[in-house]
């Protein structure tokens, strides 16, 4: 995962869970964020996965109601997503080290 995760503290109540994961994955997270931010990093990753699942459900619902999305629309959406990712990467590169970590 090369993109910056939104791991800002939240004022919502939290509950502690025990999660098992492969040791190499856990060590990769620890190497990226240090000891104190492990939970925030995992929380951000899970939230991102849930958002993707919600989007997939919306697309599935659209297809059920309207039929397949035309290839031209899919290609345009892919181009726009690539452009957005390029612009985001450029923006991150322009930020100072402390600024990009704060986002």
């Amino acid at each position: 995962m090369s993109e910056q995760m939104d791991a800002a503290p939240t004022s919502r109540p939290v509950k502690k869970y025990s999660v098992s994961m492969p040791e190499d994955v856990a060590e990769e997270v620890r190497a990226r964020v240090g000891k104190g931010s492990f939970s925030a990093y995992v929380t951000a990753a899970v939230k991102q996965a849930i958002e993707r699942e919600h989007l997939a459900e919306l697309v599935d619902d659209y297809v059920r109601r309207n039929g397949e999305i035309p290839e031209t629309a899919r290609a345009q959406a892919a181009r726009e997503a690539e452009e957005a990712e390029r612009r985001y990467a450029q923006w991150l590169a322009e930020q100072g080290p402390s600024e990009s970590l704060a986002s």
Side-chain angles (χ1 to χ4, degrees), residues 5-61:
M5 296 286 225
D6 177 18
T10 177
S11 60
R12 295 183 303 181
V14 297
K15 185 172 181 179
K16 188 169 186 156
Y17 289 91
S18 174
V19 177
S20 299
M21 68 177 66
E23 184 175 0
D24 62 323
V25 174
E27 291 305 317
E28 177 76 19
V29 172
R30 175 110 37 236
R32 289 176 178 271
V33 301
K35 186 175 183 179
S37 298
F38 194 97
S39 291
Y41 188 90
V42 172
T43 298
V46 170
K47 287 170 67 176
Q48 188 176 62
I50 291 170
E51 288 172 3
R52 287 182 177 160
E53 289 176 8
H54 284 182
L55 288 173
E57 291 166 1
L58 287 171
V59 170
D60 289 345
D61 184 56

Side-chain angles (χ1 to χ4, degrees), residues 92 95-102:
L92 276 180
Q95 304 304 303
S98 62
E99 293 177 47
S100 64
L101 292 177

